[in-house]
Amino acid sequence: MKQLVIYVHGKGGSIEEAEHYRSLFPTFDVIGFDYKSQNPWHAKKEFPIFYDQVTKGYDSVILIANSIGAFFSMIGFSDKNITKALFISPIVNMEKLIIDMMNRNIILGISLLCPKTSD
């Protein structure tokens, strides 16, 4: 049985991080995916193309993905045959993350515009 591990790095990561998993999966081929997508709608297009190219001839595919790479993988590989997925620090609710960041920036902006004065 031919088996593959696909490692998807997080923002600022690299495919070299996949090397760490070779010793953990000695009977598997291990590859990293150096994606170019910066947003989910691009990942939805890019990730399936990569999957189709690299998984030909494999009976089993394990996905290991980190941070934003995990989020993009959930979107991009959603209809692909993944035997097992292991997510490291996944961003599972991107909408909440963005709203929280926007709220923090709004609050920060207000406090910069309206600093407290001492009485």
Side-chain angles (χ1 to χ4, degrees):
M1 183 155 132
K2 198 164 178 194
Q3 300 171 308
L4 176 67
V5 171
I6 297 173
Y7 173 76
V8 182
H9 62 77
K11 185 169 177 66
S14 71
I15 59 172
E16 285 78 28
E17 295 169 22
E19 291 300 316
H20 169 75
Y21 297 97
R22 289 193 194 283
S23 64
L24 300 174
F25 296 91
T27 62
F28 287 66
D29 291 335
V30 178
I31 61 170
F33 177 27
D34 197 19
Y35 61 91
K36 305 295 181 228
S37 298
Q38 295 290 315
N39 54 56
W41 45 93
H42 289 149
K44 183 74 174 162
K45 293 177 183 175
E46 179 184 9
F47 280 49
I49 293 168
F50 171 80
Y51 180 94
D52 292 343
Q53 290 172 347
V54 300
T55 61
K56 289 183 175 98
Y58 286 96
D59 304 305
S60 174
V61 177
I62 292 179
L63 170 66
I64 302 173
N66 190 22
S67 190
I68 193 72
F71 178 70
F72 287 169
S73 293
M74 284 186 250
I75 292 167
F77 297 138
S78 63
D79 63 346
K80 297 301 179 183
N81 188 17
I82 304 287
T83 307
K84 186 181 290 187
L86 306 167
F87 296 138
I88 305 162
S89 300
I91 298 171
V92 293
N93 191 338
M94 182 61 74
E95 180 181 12
K96 181 179 180 334
L97 175 68
I98 292 169
I99 289 170
D100 289 349
M101 289 171 53
M102 289 172 56
N103 286 336
R104 276 191 297 256
N105 287 336
I106 289 170
I107 291 168
L108 176 62
I110 290 170
S111 65
L112 291 174
L113 291 173
C114 307
K116 286 186 176 182
T117 57
S118 57
D119 294 327

